[in-house]
Amino acid sequence: MWLILDNPIIVKEKSYSGEISKDIIQGALVSLTQASAAAGMNWLGLESLLSGVNKYSTAFGRIWLSMVFVFRVLVFVVAAQRVWGDESKDFVCNTKQPGCTNICYDHIFPISHIHLWALQLIFVTCPSLMVMAHVKYREGKDKKYMEVHNGSHLYANPGKKRGGLWWTYLLSLVFKAGFDTSFLYILYRIYHGYDLPRLSKCSLEPCPNTVDCFISRPTEKKIFMLFMVVSSALCIFMCICEMIYLISKRISKQLRVWHENQRLLFAEHHELTNMAPPRSQYRKTDPTLSDSQLSLNKREKIREGGISTTL
């Protein structure tokens, strides 16, 4: 049941090109706060983080941010917690032996899916803080530079992905993709695949024999688990696409600079010269002139410093 808040969240408007996820994030923040208010959870802290990350991200990064926030965080809070909330309470084994059900539950679910996904979301969103911290460091450094140099700026745009900030942004993408990949591998190894069996066999102590244990709503839980796995895989794909975009853009820029330097270097060492003498030197000789007159014309041209060609 939805809870109506007295003070709705107001997301600050940011004016920058390619803003595709502002309305999505705003609506998701309101939905998250409404869905988690009864549980005492506060998602307002994500507002500043997400708005800052979205400001300095590329188009691929904004798509990644929308997918993480809407398809993972929102689904995790609104639906997944409700679906997996009864995994311990409604886990039943066909025995009355004290402690057997608890031991079998711990064996089948070494770590809760909800807790694992919560850790995954925390680790995946933390690398974005690296980019924001680097930008804040640049802004503080630029402010000190302005005070010393009478208003001159050290950085034309502190948020421009150049120099060290480019490497920080690329490293954050590597961490994001690496964390998502690691958690998918951990989930696969712990549960031996992305499947939830309807019936599980357990023969651990203190169970008297091999008992049958049943998970509540296994099909529904499996659907949400596959949804979170596919969402994580898509986020990994978007991170890889963004890394390829950044690297290819950097390489193309370096190639353009290299070609421009080569062109300037070639122009400096090979200055353009007249490949042919002027047309005035190609004058047709009158065949009726005598040899003495031709020799006189040649001597006059030599005095003028020109070179003539007799055709």
Side-chain angles (χ1 to χ4, degrees):
M1 183 175 180
W2 295 102
L3 298 176
I4 301 176
L5 299 180
D6 295 332
N7 297 322
I9 300 172
I10 300 176
V11 178
K12 296 181 180 179
E13 298 290 334
K14 301 289 184 180
S15 57
Y16 53 89
S17 60
E19 185 179 6
I20 61 175
S21 58
K22 177 184 63 181
D23 296 334
I24 296 176
I25 293 175
Q26 182 178 1
L29 278 169
V30 176
S31 300
L32 278 174
T33 307
Q34 292 174 345
S36 58
M41 301 176 65
N42 184 13
W43 295 89
L44 294 176
L46 289 175
E47 177 187 356
S48 58
L49 173 63
L50 293 174
S51 60
V53 173
N54 199 23
K55 180 179 179 181
Y56 305 117
S57 298
T58 63
F60 290 101
R62 297 186 187 107
I63 296 175
W64 177 89
L65 180 62
S66 300
M67 292 177 60
V68 168
F69 201 76
V70 176
F71 294 105
R72 296 176 66 178
V73 177
L74 186 60
V75 171
F76 172 78
V77 175
V78 175
Q81 286 186 333
R82 299 182 181 181
V83 172
W84 288 88
D86 60 347
E87 58 179 337
S88 176
K89 181 180 63 176
D90 294 340
F91 182 81
V92 179
C93 295
N94 59 352
T95 181
K96 296 295 184 179
Q97 180 69 27
C100 179
T101 302
N102 295 333
I103 292 296
C104 293
Y105 175 80
D106 184 68
H107 175 71
I108 297 173
F109 294 101
I111 182 173
S112 172
H113 286 73
I114 292 296
H115 298 161
L116 188 64
W117 290 333
L119 287 175
Q120 182 179 1
L121 291 174
I122 292 172
F123 276 91
V124 167
T125 53
C126 277
S128 300
L129 296 175
M130 297 169 52
V131 180
M132 294 187 62
H134 199 152
V135 173
K136 295 299 180 182
Y137 169 76
R138 277 189 167 189
E139 291 176 353
K141 192 175 179 180
D142 184 67
K143 185 177 180 180
K144 293 180 180 179
Y145 186 87
M146 288 175 59
E147 294 174 355
V148 175
H149 295 81
N150 299 325
S152 315
H153 287 276
L154 181 62
Y155 300 101
N157 184 6
K160 189 72 174 178
K161 290 181 285 296
R162 293 178 179 176
L165 185 59
W166 185 88
W167 289 102
T168 302
Y169 193 89
L170 184 65
L171 190 62
S172 69
L173 294 177
V174 174
F175 282 150
K176 290 175 185 178
F179 285 141
D180 266 335
T181 305
S182 300
F183 275 95
L184 288 181
Y185 177 76
I186 292 172
L187 182 65
Y188 181 84
R189 292 290 296 178
I190 289 177
Y191 294 103
H192 307 288
Y194 306 117
D195 190 15
L196 288 178
R198 298 176 181 272
L199 173 64
S200 299
K201 301 287 186 177
C202 180
S203 59
L204 300 175
E205 295 286 343
C207 298
N209 49 32
T210 301
V211 298
D212 297 331
C213 297
F214 304 92
I215 303 171
S216 65
R217 296 183 294 174
T219 303
E220 187 176 5
K221 288 181 171 64
K222 180 180 177 181
I223 291 174
F224 276 95
M225 182 177 65
L226 292 178
F227 181 85
M228 296 297 285
V229 169
V230 172
S231 300
S232 300
L234 290 177
C235 289
I236 295 172
F237 175 74
M238 293 306 301
C239 286
I240 294 174
C241 290
E242 190 171 10
M243 284 189 284
I244 294 174
Y245 169 76
L246 287 176
I247 295 174
S248 60
K249 188 177 179 181
R250 182 70 175 268
I251 292 175
S252 63
K253 183 179 179 180
Q254 294 294 332
L255 288 177
R256 286 197 303 267
V257 172
W258 184 80
H259 283 299
E260 183 66 20
N261 292 335
Q262 290 296 320
R263 189 183 66 82
L264 294 176
L265 187 64
F266 180 83
E268 290 178 359
H269 290 283
H270 301 81
E271 295 182 356
L272 295 178
T273 57
N274 293 328
M275 301 303 294
R279 287 188 176 183
S280 59
Q281 297 182 9
Y282 294 98
R283 295 178 180 176
K284 293 184 179 180
T285 305
D286 190 355
T288 60
L289 293 177
S290 61
D291 294 338
S292 60
Q293 290 175 335
L294 290 174
S295 300
L296 181 60
N297 292 337
K298 290 180 180 180
R299 286 195 298 270
E300 290 178 354
K301 290 182 179 180
I302 291 173
R303 293 194 200 99
E304 296 174 358
I307 301 174
S308 63
T309 303
T310 305
L311 298 178

